[in-house]
Amino acid sequence: MVTMGQCYQNETISFFYNNSGKELSSHWRPKDVVVVTLGLTVSVLVLLTNLLVIAAIASNRRFHQPIYYLLGNLAAADLFAGVAYLFLMFHTGPRTARLSLNGWFLRQGLLDTSLTASMATLLAIAVERHRSVMAVQLHSRLPRGRVVALIVVVWVAALGLGLLPAHFWHCLCALDRCSRMAPLLSRSYLAVWALSSLLVFVLMVAVYTRIFFYVRRRVQRMAEHVSCHPRYRETTLSLVKTVVIILGAFVVCWTPGQVVLLLDGLDCKSCNVLAVEKYFLLLAESNSLVNAVVYSCRDAEMRRTFRRLLCCLCLRWSPHKAARYPPSTQTGTSTQIILPENGHPLMDSTL
């Protein structure tokens, strides 16, 4: 019998799952196998891709700029997300019932911390690009100390959201407030997390929209003084493409999961959130793979660094001695506008 106001720290995971009405399987179902197989595949790809990004930023001195420090932090957050999701895959399905309460909170806290850090860094990158574009600089002159401080703030906020449920924002003493998707967490926590993600998206839309209109206005002004070179039109189209990719990737990967979190947080009784939660979480995790492609692989210099690193690995493991891979002299396809007034590039592909 459940008594209101009583705490249940000594109960099992099964007790809370039964209270929330979430099924806790005792054997591996086809659905579990599919989710774990896809999850392990995505996790490994996330780990390898973001390790490559971090190695590229560390090995190339040209990337020792504030924007690349933030890209490196994004890769670190996504790498952490890959580790957290890998941990989840090894502690899901029938293994969930064998977790202690602390083990369950650890599993959930790793996910919440890593995904929050990733989202917060996406917003920090957007703000930094806005600042540098408005100052007509290719790379921001933001001091390293302030970049480090910004990164510290990101991780403090992420750790705060990740640790709060285990210590304060749970429902161990208020079973009527337990969510269905995360049976040990309060519904209010899920609602706040979902609304915070929505706020991040709205701010990103505002920032990138302002960048777009600013650049388009500059291009139009230049076209009035010089013949409308196709390069200007290509730059505008490329900027539109970049903004659409950034915001589109965020919407596709995050929106489904945030919607079901919000519905569960608002206690929507008629919403069958449990039917899709695992797949939407997998989709959110895949954003850690998409980020590496959208924010790093589209940079021409980054791609050249990737090739050098991968070639070095191939040569190290190859039984035949081959000539060292020559560095590429291509300029790549980075989006740049040279302003007539001061010669500074206005935009680049790291937007």
Side-chain angles (χ1 to χ4, degrees):
M1 180 178 176
V2 175
T3 304
M4 300 305 296
Q6 180 181 348
C7 293
Y8 298 88
Q9 287 96 338
N10 296 324
E11 294 291 346
T12 63
I13 293 295
S14 301
F15 173 83
F16 292 96
Y17 273 64
N18 291 335
N19 173 70
S20 295
K22 185 173 184 179
E23 183 182 1
L24 195 59
S25 60
S26 59
H27 61 280
W28 287 100
R29 301 166 298 180
K31 174 185 176 180
D32 299 325
V33 175
V34 170
V35 169
V36 169
T37 302
L38 292 175
L40 289 175
T41 302
V42 170
S43 296
V44 170
L45 290 175
V46 166
L47 292 174
L48 294 177
T49 305
N50 286 286
L51 277 173
L52 185 60
V53 172
I54 292 172
I57 293 174
S59 63
N60 191 333
R61 293 184 63 85
R62 294 184 183 181
F63 296 149
H64 295 179
Q65 301 284 345
I67 181 61
Y68 290 105
Y69 295 158
L70 291 175
L71 289 176
N73 189 63
L74 177 62
D78 288 334
L79 181 69
F80 184 22
V83 172
Y85 200 72
L86 197 64
F87 183 82
L88 172 64
M89 291 299 98
F90 284 110
H91 297 84
T92 191
R95 296 171 182 156
T96 300
R98 298 198 291 268
L99 289 172
S100 64
L101 296 189
N102 288 334
W104 191 94
F105 280 121
L106 173 63
R107 188 184 75 171
Q108 189 66 35
L110 290 174
L111 279 175
D112 292 346
T113 300
S114 59
L115 295 179
T116 301
S118 181
M119 277 197 300
T121 306
L122 289 176
L123 180 59
I125 290 172
V127 172
E128 195 280 339
R129 293 317 293 147
H130 176 271
R131 202 193 73 83
S132 61
V133 167
M134 294 302 155
V136 198
Q137 296 170 350
L138 176 60
H139 298 302
S140 171
R141 302 299 180 189
L142 193 65
R144 292 187 181 184
R146 289 178 61 181
V147 175
V148 173
L150 182 59
I151 292 173
V152 169
V153 169
V154 165
W155 283 102
V156 167
L159 286 171
L161 275 177
L163 294 176
L164 273 177
H167 297 282
F168 307 105
W169 223 334
H170 53 68
C171 62
L172 302 187
C173 302
L175 296 183
D176 58 318
R177 299 178 185 175
C178 292
S179 67
R180 284 181 289 166
M181 292 175 58
L184 276 70
L185 301 186
S186 172
R187 288 192 302 272
S188 61
Y189 174 77
L190 269 63
V192 168
W193 209 93
L195 291 173
S196 299
S197 303
L198 178 62
L199 177 62
V200 169
F201 174 68
V202 170
L203 291 174
M204 286 177 61
V205 169
V207 169
Y208 282 117
T209 299
R210 179 169 168 78
I211 290 175
F212 169 72
F213 282 112
Y214 175 82
V215 173
R216 191 180 70 167
R217 188 163 58 248
R218 299 286 293 190
V219 171
Q220 290 173 344
R221 287 177 182 174
M222 287 187 289
E224 295 175 358
H225 300 286
V226 296
S227 59
C228 189
H229 195 278
R231 178 66 172 169
Y232 294 143
R233 188 177 296 108
E234 292 172 7
T235 297
T236 305
L237 292 176
S238 182
L239 177 60
V240 173
K241 179 180 175 182
T242 299
V243 171
V244 169
I245 289 174
I246 289 173
L247 298 180
F250 192 93
V251 169
V252 170
C253 294
W254 281 105
T255 303
Q258 302 312 318
V259 169
V260 295
L261 278 177
L262 187 58
L263 291 175
D264 192 16
L266 296 176
D267 198 21
C268 178
K269 300 291 187 183
S270 61
C271 304
N272 190 13
V273 295
L274 297 179
V276 293
E277 56 148 347
K278 293 183 183 295
Y279 301 106
F280 286 173
L281 176 59
L282 177 62
L283 189 60
E285 174 61 26
S286 67
N287 185 246
S288 296
L289 177 61
V290 174
N291 285 340
V293 177
V294 172
Y295 286 89
S296 297
C297 296
R298 298 184 73 246
D299 185 285
E301 180 65 24
M302 185 73 76
R303 292 197 299 272
R304 289 195 289 271
T305 306
F306 287 162
R307 286 196 292 268
R308 285 197 292 270
L309 289 173
L310 293 174
C311 189
C312 288
L313 287 176
C314 291
L315 291 175
R316 179 173 296 180
W317 291 102
S318 174
H320 306 289
K321 298 296 183 181
R324 184 173 295 274
Y325 188 81
S328 171
T329 57
Q330 280 187 307
T331 60
T333 57
S334 296
T335 303
Q336 293 187 354
I337 304 174
I338 305 301
L339 299 181
E341 305 97 279
N342 53 23
H344 286 303
L346 181 61
M347 297 296 301
D348 76 336
S349 63
T350 61
L351 172 65

